[in-house]
Amino acid sequence: MEAKEKILNSAEELFIQYGIRSVTMDDVARAASMSKKTLYQYFDNKDGLVSEVAKNHFEKEASEFEEIDKQATDAIHEIILVSQCLRKHVFRMNPSLLYDMQKYHGAAWDKYLEFKHSIIRGYIEKNIERGKKEGLFRDEVNAKVLSILRVECVQLVFNTRIFPREEFDFPSVQLQILDHFIYGLLTDKGRKKYEEYMQQESTTHTR
């Protein structure tokens, strides 16, 4: 693994686990098993590092979404694969990460907004239209409105004033909101198929 890639991977793991503000360049150098001097050969400051980590992370997520699109047999299967992707990424994030990015790292925040509005919303909108064509989602659902609602709900759960961490379990809240969102889309045919998928997933996890 090249030094720069090692730095980006180490920094990403630290930011996900602890948030951005509490992680220092010393912490990143230590996690990457290199001196701070070597670290600064690749990144002039923490802001530049955060921006590059964000860009790298969002590119990887976009690639995962493309792969899911190829694998999914129908719109509901696609949602389940995306929810598994969310568990791997969003659900393990420190709740302060987005707040830190917005307040202290403007360039990284702009990358997040671009990713949210162009990639994620576009992907959800496309998925909803697919589900409508397959008879799994209700025809009257407005794909654009619901795609906006979905991405804002994901971000809402990061707000600790609304969902204090001492009162709410972050992954459980995300799963509750996701489940509510999916059931709001489904036709009777879709509901039956969704529950079949969930039963299969439950069986797989209990083996």
Side-chain angles (χ1 to χ4, degrees), residues 44-143:
D44 293 335
N45 51 50
K46 183 178 174 182
D47 192 55
L49 173 60
V50 172
S51 182
E52 187 75 14
V53 168
K55 177 177 177 289
N56 196 49
H57 177 82
F58 297 141
E59 285 175 353
K60 286 190 290 187
E61 280 205 27
S63 296
E64 285 189 42
F65 287 157
E66 287 178 12
E67 195 57 38
I68 286 170
D69 189 46
K70 294 174 188 174
Q71 292 176 14
T73 55
D74 56 53
I76 295 176
H77 185 218
E78 192 171 17
I79 283 183
I80 290 177
L81 292 175
V82 168
S83 73
Q84 291 170 352
C85 185
L86 281 173
R87 287 190 190 97
K88 187 169 67 173
H89 295 302
V90 177
F91 291 5
R92 70 189 187 95
M93 281 185 188
N94 187 294
S96 71
L97 191 148
L98 287 184
Y99 175 81
D100 291 347
M101 191 186 294
Q102 182 179 17
K103 188 164 185 180
Y104 303 108
H105 302 283
W109 180 250
D110 287 343
K111 287 180 173 62
Y112 165 72
L113 292 179
E114 182 183 353
F115 178 71
K116 183 176 84 166
H117 293 306
S118 63
I119 304 297
I120 302 179
R121 266 178 50 188
Y123 187 83
I124 295 169
E125 195 170 335
K126 182 180 171 186
N127 171 263
I128 292 172
E129 293 296 353
R130 176 182 180 178
K132 287 162 73 172
K133 287 176 184 174
E134 293 170 342
L136 301 172
F137 298 162
R138 296 182 293 119
D139 282 334
E140 62 270 29
V141 166
N142 184 310

Side-chain angles (χ1 to χ4, degrees), residues 156-168 173 177:
L156 179 72
V157 183
F158 281 92
N159 190 323
T160 54
R161 286 179 295 179
I162 297 172
F163 292 103
R165 290 301 165 261
E166 63 273 13
E167 187 177 349
F168 296 97
V173 174
I177 291 175

Side-chain angles (χ1 to χ4, degrees), residues 167-201:
E167 187 177 349
F168 296 97
D169 176 67
F170 178 67
S172 297
V173 174
Q174 288 285 12
L175 286 170
Q176 277 283 310
I177 291 175
L178 174 63
D179 198 53
H180 177 77
F181 174 78
I182 293 171
Y183 270 106
L185 296 174
L186 299 172
T187 60
D188 289 340
K189 174 185 173 183
R191 186 176 297 108
K192 183 178 178 182
K193 184 171 277 288
Y194 176 60
E195 289 170 355
E196 286 172 358
Y197 275 127
M198 294 309 291
Q199 182 61 42
Q200 289 170 13
E201 190 173 281

